Amino acid sequence: MILRDLAHRLGCEVRGDGGVDVVRVAGIDEAGTGDITFVSNARYVPRLAKTRASAVIVSPEVETEVPSLLTRNPYLAFARAVEALHPQPRPMPGVHPSAVVDPSAVLGDDVHVAALAVVGSGARVGARTVLHPHVVLYAGAQVGDDCILHAGAQVREGCRIGDRVILQNGAVIGSDGFGFAKDDAGRYEKIPQIGIVVVEDDVEIGALTAVDRAALRETRIGRGTKIDNLVQIGHSVVIGSDTVVAGQVGIAGSTRVGNKVTLAGQVGVAGHLTIGDGVIATAQTGIPNDVAPGSLVSGYPAIENRAWLKSSAVFARLPELHKRLRDLERRVAGLFAAQPPTS
Amino acid sequence: MILRDLAHRLGCEVRGDGGVDVVRVAGIDEAGTGDITFVSNARYVPRLAKTRASAVIVSPEVETEVPSLLTRNPYLAFARAVEALHPQPRPMPGVHPSAVVDPSAVLGDDVHVAALAVVGSGARVGARTVLHPHVVLYAGAQVGDDCILHAGAQVREGCRIGDRVILQNGAVIGSDGFGFAKDDAGRYEKIPQIGIVVVEDDVEIGALTAVDRAALRETRIGRGTKIDNLVQIGHSVVIGSDTVVAGQVGIAGSTRVGNKVTLAGQVGVAGHLTIGDGVIATAQTGIPNDVAPGSLVSGYPAIENRAWLKSSAVFARLPELHKRLRDLERRVAGLFAAQPPTS
Amino acid sequence: MILRDLAHRLGCEVRGDGGVDVVRVAGIDEAGTGDITFVSNARYVPRLAKTRASAVIVSPEVETEVPSLLTRNPYLAFARAVEALHPQPRPMPGVHPSAVVDPSAVLGDDVHVAALAVVGSGARVGARTVLHPHVVLYAGAQVGDDCILHAGAQVREGCRIGDRVILQNGAVIGSDGFGFAKDDAGRYEKIPQIGIVVVEDDVEIGALTAVDRAALRETRIGRGTKIDNLVQIGHSVVIGSDTVVAGQVGIAGSTRVGNKVTLAGQVGVAGHLTIGDGVIATAQTGIPNDVAPGSLVSGYPAIENRAWLKSSAVFARLPELHKRLRDLERRVAGLFAAQPPTS
């Protein structure tokens, strides 16, 4: 594809030679002839002097000799360039003869049901959706249009998945919530989990992530939210839209997470809390209480990020502070001993 | 079902109109006509004034106009009401033609082996047990009566599962323990893991949880213990009865966990430890040493919970304390400078 | 097998009766007639006096009446003794009729493809490799010689696995990296992840561990590295050789981990970092910055281990220190009040 055509497709302006040929995307250091790269971070601008890329996606204010696509959001344009230059092959529509599809299931137009996938009774699969090998839809599960369910992904009974949802390999939607009542002898009796999970449109859920069904009503993942691998979402949790949940995060039951929240890796959130819109929790934060909208929190238990950074810096010096305190105690004790009686 | 009949079934007393019809369970705020709800926490008693539920399960001392089932343990009665009013459909007995069952495997009466499940040579499946699609039992695995193994759950060679056990989706029982010996060049050589896993009766194991087989003898999960999703149980770990292990907990090899222990979310327990009966570890606790029976511990490294709460409160004020220490040092230094020689 | 023959096989010297029969390995406390045990830790030497084992593997300097195999590395010899005395049955070569193997896939000599495994178009499987039930190889995946892929393990499109690699149950190699670009409305757009994962020779990857494919080039796991269960490896991470990654560790995107590193359980490593050769991070450590080769680090954020141990000890005494600081402030204030003006 020549640069001018790619610019047209991405809605960018061209600076320099629009006739140069671009066939691949690449990182700025590895790029060579035929590659287009990008700079979205000012830190990398100096590397443009040395890149061998045929073209680069940059902000208009970045100056370079390299033929350029100009845009206010180079990273987004890059994402789209990957899609344009490296279109992913789409499996052919059809149902593999080894798949087990219940006669009462409803398959939309042009679905792909791969080898050994299972579609239970009354389940529905939307148009153009792809079920990779070994996907399992339990009875009554619903999956929307244009979804991709990777191998081993599972949707339990009655759960509903929107349109354009991606489930990575082995993701489990609708496993039983962790609910037990204790009897007088201290033994636990299972509370049947009769709710469901609702996954709204444009959500992506990572490999080996579990989203538990609600005890009574629903667990819900809001539109456009992206969840990474090995995440645990407890029963009746509600997550808003455009939220990012990084790897190995755990959210306990009945907690509500707002819109445009970011939970970094290994964060833990206790149950029955409210995490406001726009909250950011840095990696490994442990959240035992509600968090106000817009907060940036860290630590365990979570406090405001700047306070945590300062306290952490002092933490590393605690043995020294302890020694200074002891020294001071000795000096002050000495003063008292040395001082003549004041009356 | 009328309330009087439900009372009979749950072993509760009726207060008010026992002829009211109850068809569903619901939360106190969402409940309407035909719904039965419950109050087990004094905090929610005031909401009874506004509920539109047809009936409620409460302790005898709770006063309300709503027709009531009276019991000392409303939460337990509620669990049983869910079961009574929302019976889960049981798959029909039979072996799906696409399942692969070794001729030497032994299936009990009325088992359900779903599509594409695999039962290896010499494996045994107890009466009325349900194997959902894609369950895999390796050679010689044993599963007791009345178990439910959800899709993708796996039991490795020779492992033994008791009666009434539930494995959620993708749970792995009996993966190799993480055991390697280092050679002189610093390379690791695998120690074959020739032990097994024993899961006792009435255990539930969560989605995508891994329980490793022992190096030599057995890893054991005690009767009635409940394990949540994405938990890691190392080789040769022994867990007692009626213990609760929440999501994303990790327990390293050869550790012994007692009875009626609670490990909250994301707790980590080092290897070769003894965690006493009745211990509670709050979320994200990191346990590097033995814990005495009945302890309540928190923090990393774990200390007594009250001490940890107090230290955490001071931690958040460390920069202020540091400043106060510096101020004090200056003042005391000033005193020394100002003071006339004492001799 | 008689002890002398085992000694020959393991390259050890015999002390005492080389004609004694050994048929099993066992722990020092449980061993009986016919068992061989080992002592690799000086702490366990006293137990040799009471063991009923028929033989023991020890260092030459350990004195005991028990017939012994002498070696500088008893643990390694023990690993090999397990292998010698408990050879694991190898599945017979062949392709189960229920497996779905694309006609364009290439299978090496003597491979075992179990029931319901899926081998995609153009995939390659090396000689003597075992694919357990429900293994999925996507199109173009390559697996080397003498590998064992346990049930439910998956290798995504184009990923490459070396020789003698073991994937435990449900491990996912090559799931999409977690990469999204934000648009002007704050919505996330997926960046297609067009790189691969390369797993070098002699690697073992634990149950339910996910290794994400790179955005552009490759994620790489170095020769001989051992990864435990439920670990998350982000896209474009590069791990060196002979490194150990324990259960539930998370490593964020583009981080480079050196050779002979040890990351203990639940450690988290942020993205774009460099962790030097030989680093050890203790359990639950949170690493936000580069770590120099040979460091031993702990805590969150990670600091040098000895400093962390000392600071943690003071942390537990913070309420007491706070009180001492207050007392001192009062005493010093009293001194100022009591003191006559100095001029």
Side-chain angles (χ1 to χ4, degrees):
Chain A
M1 191 179 306
I2 62 170
L3 187 60
R4 194 177 304 114
D5 293 345
L6 184 61
H8 183 72
R9 181 144 168 192
L10 306 186
C12 297
E13 211 177 313
V14 178
R15 186 174 62 196
D17 179 5
V20 69
D21 209 33
V22 287
V23 297
R24 272 180 313 272
V25 297
I28 192 163
D29 294 331
E30 298 87 28
T33 305
D35 293 342
I36 184 164
T37 188
F38 76 108
V39 172
S40 68
N41 184 323
R43 207 154 43 109
Y44 292 102
V45 171
R47 300 204 195 168
L48 271 174
K50 285 200 207 150
T51 189
R52 299 163 64 186
S54 292
V56 63
I57 306 172
V58 290
S59 289
E61 71 276 10
V62 173
E63 293 179 14
T64 170
E65 304 277 290
V66 185
S68 302
L69 296 188
L70 305 183
T71 168
R72 286 275 134 229
N73 191 338
Y75 196 47
L76 181 64
F78 178 73
R80 292 173 180 172
V82 179
E83 185 129 17
L85 295 172
H86 301 266
Q88 300 295 299
R90 245 197 125 66
M92 298 292 288
V95 178
H96 193 276
S98 67
V100 178
V101 180
D102 191 274
S104 66
V106 179
L107 304 185
D109 291 343
D110 297 330
V111 301
H112 170 88
V113 180
L116 305 171
V118 174
V119 181
S121 65
R124 304 180 74 95
V125 180
R128 296 169 302 281
T129 281
V130 173
L131 306 185
H132 278 277
H134 290 170
V135 162
V136 178
L137 307 184
Y138 276 55
Q142 296 180 27
V143 179
D145 297 343
D146 300 300
C147 293
I148 300 172
L149 275 63
H150 275 286
Q154 306 186 18
V155 183
R156 287 273 301 266
E157 63 274 21
C159 295
R160 300 200 307 263
I161 309 287
D163 297 335
R164 297 173 303 281
V165 168
I166 299 174
L167 302 185
Q168 294 291 332
N169 305 69
V172 173
I173 308 300
S175 37
D176 284 356
F178 197 60
F180 302 90
K182 212 188 265 196
D183 72 12
D184 298 339
R187 297 192 173 192
Y188 292 96
E189 214 166 281
K190 184 174 179 71
I191 302 171
Q193 304 287 303
I194 63 173
I196 60 169
V197 176
V198 178
V199 176
E200 299 183 358
D201 297 343
D202 300 303
V203 166
E204 178 160 343
I205 294 181
L208 303 170
T209 278
V211 183
D212 278 352
R213 64 197 311 112
L216 293 179
R217 305 181 81 204
E218 65 182 40
T219 304
R220 181 173 284 264
I221 312 295
R223 188 201 48 71
T225 284
K226 310 299 183 187
I227 299 178
D228 200 355
N229 301 341
L230 291 157
V231 170
Q232 153 68 356
I233 309 284
H235 52 180
S236 306
V237 164
V238 177
I239 301 182
S241 298
D242 301 318
T243 277
V244 169
V245 180
Q248 298 178 319
V249 165
I251 304 177
S254 300
T255 281
R256 302 183 76 88
V257 176
N259 304 314
K260 298 184 194 287
V261 169
T262 300
L263 303 177
Q266 298 185 334
V267 163
V269 186
H272 298 272
L273 301 183
T274 299
I275 310 301
D277 291 348
V279 165
I280 299 174
T282 62
Q284 290 195 335
T285 297
I287 303 183
N289 295 113
D290 290 352
V291 180
S295 308
L296 173 57
V297 295
S298 300
Y300 155 63
I303 58 177
E304 196 266 324
N305 170 263
R306 281 180 60 85
W308 176 75
L309 287 173
K310 287 181 189 169
S311 283
S312 297
V314 180
F315 174 85
R317 297 175 58 189
L318 277 182
E320 174 212 324
L321 264 62
H322 189 196
K323 185 181 175 308
R324 283 161 57 189
L325 180 63
R326 274 197 313 262
D327 289 349
L328 211 50
E329 286 173 329
R330 266 191 232 107
R331 294 191 77 177
V332 172
L335 280 174
F336 272 84
Q339 225 178 14
T342 53
S343 62
Chain B
M1 191 177 307
I2 63 168
L3 188 60
R4 194 177 305 114
D5 292 345
L6 184 61
H8 183 72
R9 181 143 167 193
L10 305 186
C12 297
E13 211 177 313
V14 178
R15 186 174 61 196
D17 180 4
V20 69
D21 209 33
V22 287
V23 297
R24 271 181 313 274
V25 297
I28 192 163
D29 294 331
E30 299 88 28
T33 303
D35 292 343
I36 184 164
T37 189
F38 75 108
V39 172
S40 67
N41 185 325
R43 206 152 45 107
Y44 292 103
V45 170
R47 301 204 195 167
L48 271 176
K50 284 200 209 151
T51 190
R52 299 163 63 187
S54 292
V56 63
I57 305 171
V58 290
S59 290
E61 69 276 10
V62 173
E63 294 179 12
T64 170
E65 305 276 289
V66 184
S68 303
L69 296 188
L70 305 183
T71 167
R72 287 275 134 227
N73 192 338
Y75 196 48
L76 182 64
F78 179 73
R80 292 173 180 173
V82 178
E83 185 130 15
L85 295 172
H86 301 266
Q88 300 295 296
R90 245 196 124 66
M92 298 291 288
V95 178
H96 193 276
S98 68
V100 178
V101 180
D102 191 274
S104 65
V106 179
L107 303 185
D109 290 344
D110 295 330
V111 302
H112 171 89
V113 180
L116 305 171
V118 174
V119 181
S121 64
R124 304 180 74 95
V125 181
R128 295 170 303 281
T129 281
V130 173
L131 306 185
H132 279 277
H134 290 170
V135 162
V136 178
L137 306 185
Y138 276 56
Q142 297 181 27
V143 179
D145 297 344
D146 298 299
C147 294
I148 300 172
L149 275 62
H150 275 287
Q154 307 184 18
V155 183
R156 287 272 301 265
E157 63 274 20
C159 294
R160 301 200 307 262
I161 309 287
D163 296 335
R164 298 173 302 281
V165 168
I166 299 174
L167 301 185
Q168 294 290 332
N169 306 69
V172 173
I173 308 301
S175 38
D176 284 356
F178 196 60
F180 302 90
K182 211 187 266 195
D183 72 12
D184 297 339
R187 298 193 172 191
Y188 292 95
E189 213 166 281
K190 185 175 179 70
I191 302 172
Q193 304 287 304
I194 62 173
I196 61 167
V197 176
V198 177
V199 176
E200 299 184 357
D201 296 342
D202 299 302
V203 166
E204 178 159 344
I205 294 181
L208 304 169
T209 279
V211 182
D212 278 351
R213 64 197 309 112
L216 292 180
R217 304 180 81 205
E218 65 181 40
T219 303
R220 181 172 286 262
I221 312 294
R223 189 202 45 73
T225 283
K226 311 298 183 186
I227 299 179
D228 200 355
N229 300 341
L230 291 157
V231 169
Q232 154 69 356
I233 310 283
H235 52 180
S236 305
V237 164
V238 176
I239 301 183
S241 298
D242 300 318
T243 277
V244 170
V245 180
Q248 298 177 321
V249 165
I251 305 177
S254 300
T255 280
R256 302 182 76 89
V257 176
N259 304 313
K260 298 185 193 286
V261 169
T262 299
L263 303 178
Q266 298 184 337
V267 163
V269 186
H272 298 274
L273 301 183
T274 299
I275 310 300
D277 290 348
V279 164
I280 299 174
T282 63
Q284 290 194 337
T285 297
I287 302 182
N289 294 114
D290 290 351
V291 180
S295 308
L296 173 58
V297 296
S298 300
Y300 156 63
I303 57 176
E304 197 267 324
N305 170 263
R306 282 182 60 86
W308 177 76
L309 287 173
K310 287 181 189 168
S311 283
S312 296
V314 180
F315 174 85
R317 298 175 58 188
L318 277 182
E320 173 212 325
L321 264 62
H322 189 195
K323 185 179 174 310
R324 282 162 57 189
L325 180 62
R326 275 195 312 262
D327 289 349
L328 211 50
E329 286 172 328
R330 266 191 233 107
R331 294 191 77 177
V332 172
L335 278 174
F336 272 83
Q339 225 180 14
T342 53
S343 63
Chain C
M1 192 179 305
I2 62 169
L3 188 61
R4 194 177 304 114
D5 292 345
L6 185 61
H8 183 73
R9 182 145 168 193
L10 305 186
C12 298
E13 212 177 312
V14 179
R15 187 175 59 196
D17 179 5
V20 69
D21 209 33
V22 287
V23 296
R24 271 180 314 272
V25 297
I28 191 162
D29 295 331
E30 298 88 28
T33 303
D35 292 342
I36 183 164
T37 188
F38 76 108
V39 172
S40 68
N41 186 323
R43 209 155 39 111
Y44 292 103
V45 170
R47 300 205 195 168
L48 271 175
K50 284 199 209 152
T51 189
R52 299 164 63 187
S54 292
V56 62
I57 306 172
V58 290
S59 289
E61 70 275 11
V62 173
E63 293 179 13
T64 170
E65 305 278 289
V66 185
S68 302
L69 296 188
L70 305 183
T71 168
R72 285 275 133 227
N73 192 338
Y75 196 47
L76 182 63
F78 178 72
R80 292 174 181 171
V82 179
E83 185 128 16
L85 295 173
H86 302 265
Q88 300 295 299
R90 244 196 126 66
M92 297 292 289
V95 178
H96 192 275
S98 67
V100 178
V101 180
D102 191 274
S104 66
V106 178
L107 304 185
D109 291 344
D110 295 330
V111 302
H112 171 88
V113 181
L116 304 171
V118 175
V119 181
S121 65
R124 304 179 73 94
V125 180
R128 295 169 304 279
T129 281
V130 172
L131 306 185
H132 278 278
H134 290 170
V135 162
V136 178
L137 307 185
Y138 277 55
Q142 296 180 28
V143 179
D145 297 343
D146 298 300
C147 293
I148 300 172
L149 275 62
H150 274 288
Q154 306 186 18
V155 183
R156 287 272 302 265
E157 63 274 21
C159 295
R160 299 200 308 262
I161 309 288
D163 296 334
R164 297 173 303 280
V165 167
I166 299 174
L167 301 185
Q168 293 290 332
N169 305 68
V172 173
I173 308 301
S175 38
D176 284 357
F178 197 59
F180 302 91
K182 212 188 265 196
D183 72 12
D184 297 340
R187 298 193 173 192
Y188 292 95
E189 213 165 282
K190 185 175 179 70
I191 302 172
Q193 303 288 303
I194 62 173
I196 61 167
V197 176
V198 178
V199 177
E200 300 184 357
D201 296 343
D202 300 303
V203 166
E204 178 159 343
I205 294 182
L208 303 169
T209 280
V211 183
D212 278 352
R213 63 196 311 111
L216 293 179
R217 305 181 81 205
E218 64 181 41
T219 304
R220 181 172 284 263
I221 312 295
R223 189 201 47 71
T225 283
K226 310 299 182 186
I227 299 179
D228 200 355
N229 300 340
L230 291 157
V231 169
Q232 153 68 356
I233 309 285
H235 52 180
S236 306
V237 165
V238 176
I239 300 183
S241 298
D242 299 319
T243 276
V244 169
V245 180
Q248 297 177 320
V249 165
I251 305 177
S254 300
T255 281
R256 302 182 76 88
V257 177
N259 304 313
K260 298 184 194 287
V261 169
T262 299
L263 303 178
Q266 298 186 334
V267 163
V269 186
H272 298 272
L273 302 183
T274 298
I275 310 300
D277 290 348
V279 164
I280 299 173
T282 62
Q284 290 195 336
T285 297
I287 303 182
N289 294 113
D290 290 351
V291 180
S295 308
L296 173 58
V297 296
S298 300
Y300 157 63
I303 59 177
E304 197 267 324
N305 169 263
R306 280 182 62 85
W308 176 76
L309 286 173
K310 287 181 189 169
S311 283
S312 296
V314 180
F315 174 85
R317 296 175 58 189
L318 277 182
E320 173 212 325
L321 264 62
H322 190 196
K323 184 178 174 309
R324 283 162 57 188
L325 180 63
R326 276 196 312 263
D327 289 350
L328 210 49
E329 285 172 329
R330 266 192 232 107
R331 295 191 78 177
V332 171
L335 279 175
F336 271 85
Q339 225 179 14
T342 54
S343 62

